[in-house]
Amino acid sequence: ITLSITMGTIMAMSSSNWLLAWIGLELNMLAILPIISKPKTMRASEATTKYFLTQAIASAMMLLASTTNAWQTGNWDILELKNKFSTTIMALSLTMKMGAAPVHFWLPEVLQGTTLQTALLITTWQKLAPITLMYMISKNIQPIILTSLGILSMIIGGLGGVNQTQLRKTMAYSSINNLGWTIMIMAFSPNMAIMNIFIYIIMTTPIFLMMTNTSMKTLQNMSTTWTTSMTTTFSIALLMLSTSGLPPFTGFMPKMLILNELITQKLTMLATLAITTSLISLLFYLRITYLIMMLTSPMTTPSLTKWRAQNQKSQPMTMMIPTALFIAHLIPAIPS
């Protein structure tokens, strides 16, 4: 299954033909279904069904777009997607594949119905292939479409996460918000979009790993970690601030570069709208940070928690946390 997931993504990312890319995405999707349904619960079965249906619809839209383009131009090449109808349908299908607005409804439900490890896989690895395909056709998609999808994702990602108490759903809306930044800048600087998504993956991976180590699934679980592991508590709080885009953390770097690029291209109103929507998402990141670091749990007596007895190996996580927090200082000087 792991080989199929890896090979499917690599095939979709490295192919130059729409049919091969479609086969890679299908192989990847079919391989991850058993992983999502591994917990033998009703929620996991429901999450698997939702994931399958949405990905199948997105694949059908992808085939429709590529077939229409081939019918018009006689070409299956990914870079030769010239038909405006085909590019619009393809952009929507890839948006559905990665879980951005307005076709994002499956993502929070699927993450909530599966394990934390699978949620990490869906929010990181599963986004690589659709974003790579969108990168390849970004020059042919009308900028207004990508900009609209991006702004909508940023607004929905911010508003959706504000009222959540389940951490997996919060991380799902965080993912939607970040995808909004990625899709919006894809129209003007595709390389910056790729940088943004890779930095997001670097930041979100240690968060999920620490949540897995401590069996942390709700805000209530999160508020009691400080009694046992101060390092985990501070690390998650700082990583949340980094993901929100506050300086001097890593998450500030891509947002600053994206806003700089928008202003350079005389898109000041779009930059203002983007930074305003990021304030909405900042609300739930700060709420989580405040809950972890500023509030004292009413129960301070040491007691056996569901995760304290486990002896966890965390070398990869130990290396990833400083990277996710402090690589912003390696940012090159921005020419004025």
Side-chain angles (χ1 to χ4, degrees):
I1 286 174
T2 306
L3 182 64
S4 298
I5 290 174
T6 310
M7 288 302 297
T9 301
I10 291 172
M11 186 189 295
M13 290 171 70
S14 58
S15 60
S16 60
N17 186 293
W18 279 118
L19 283 178
L20 280 176
W22 177 79
I23 290 169
L25 288 169
E26 288 299 292
L27 178 65
N28 175 274
M29 184 260 287
L30 291 171
I32 200 173
L33 293 177
I35 294 181
I36 299 174
S37 62
K38 189 180 177 186
K40 298 298 182 279
T41 61
M42 290 292 288
R43 290 297 299 268
S45 303
E46 182 186 339
T48 309
T49 308
K50 286 177 179 174
Y51 187 84
F52 172 73
L53 289 175
T54 50
Q55 297 296 315
I57 292 167
S59 296
M61 290 170 65
M62 191 176 169
L63 268 184
L64 170 66
S66 53
T67 309
T68 307
N69 185 68
W71 179 44
Q72 293 281 334
T73 64
N75 200 333
W76 286 94
D77 198 319
I78 289 177
L79 298 174
E80 296 298 321
L81 196 71
K82 304 292 186 186
N83 190 335
K84 282 189 177 180
F85 171 78
S86 296
T87 53
T88 306
I89 295 295
M90 187 62 73
L92 284 172
S93 73
L94 293 175
T95 302
M96 185 182 278
K97 281 270 183 197
M98 65 181 83
V103 277
H104 65 283
F105 299 102
W106 62 270
L107 185 61
E109 297 300 322
V110 169
L111 290 201
Q112 186 60 30
T114 188
T115 62
L116 286 163
Q117 294 97 323
T118 313
L120 170 62
L121 187 64
I122 292 170
T123 51
T124 54
W125 181 261
Q126 292 299 99
K127 296 197 186 322
L128 294 180
I131 285 174
T132 305
L133 291 172
M134 187 175 276
Y135 172 83
M136 293 169 76
I137 64 170
S138 59
K139 298 295 182 189
N140 299 327
I141 306 175
Q142 294 169 294
I144 186 66
I145 293 173
L146 288 177
T147 307
S148 302
L149 290 173
I151 291 292
L152 190 61
S153 295
M154 289 156 70
I155 293 170
I156 288 174
L159 292 175
V162 167
N163 205 30
Q164 297 297 334
T165 56
Q166 297 288 334
L167 287 177
R168 279 170 293 182
K169 282 192 175 180
T170 304
M171 293 306 295
Y173 283 109
S174 167
S175 172
I176 293 165
N177 178 266
N178 191 271
L179 281 173
W181 283 86
T182 304
I183 293 170
M184 180 190 66
I185 198 61
M186 188 80 76
F188 310 106
S189 177
N191 291 337
M192 205 169 284
I194 296 297
M195 178 201 71
N196 183 59
I197 197 66
F198 272 109
I199 287 178
Y200 172 74
I201 289 171
I202 288 170
M203 290 187 298
T204 202
T205 302
I207 293 177
F208 271 110
L209 289 176
M210 281 189 283
M211 284 164 61
T212 305
N213 277 355
T214 57
S215 301
M216 196 188 298
K217 293 176 181 174
T218 63
L219 290 177
Q220 187 178 10
N221 295 153
M222 187 176 264
S223 65
T224 58
T225 55
W226 70 272
T227 57
T228 307
S229 176
M230 290 294 290
T231 310
T232 303
T233 305
F234 279 114
S235 297
I236 288 192
L238 293 176
L239 284 167
M240 286 294 179
L241 292 177
S242 180
T243 313
S244 70
L246 283 180
F249 301 115
T250 300
F252 174 65
M253 179 177 72
K255 284 187 169 60
M256 184 180 69
L257 291 174
I258 287 170
L259 293 172
N260 180 69
E261 180 68 25
L262 291 175
I263 292 167
T264 304
Q265 300 203 20
K266 304 290 188 289
L267 296 164
T268 313
M269 284 301 294
L270 185 60
T272 308
L273 186 58
I275 204 161
T276 306
T277 56
S278 74
L279 291 175
I280 305 171
S281 61
L282 181 63
L283 185 63
F284 67 81
Y285 290 118
L286 284 177
R287 178 181 170 215
I288 292 172
T289 309
Y290 177 75
L291 191 67
I292 298 173
M293 299 185 75
M294 306 298 288
L295 295 183
T296 307
S297 171
M299 183 69 177
T300 55
T301 308
S303 57
L304 186 66
T305 63
K306 58 189 172 183
W307 52 274
R308 184 177 296 157
Q310 299 172 10
N311 183 18
Q312 298 285 354
K313 301 290 184 184
S314 58
Q315 288 90 342
M317 193 168 64
T318 310
M319 291 184 289
M320 292 183 79
I321 291 170
T323 310
L325 288 176
F326 300 117
I327 62 169
H329 303 290
L330 303 178
I331 182 173
I334 300 174
S336 57

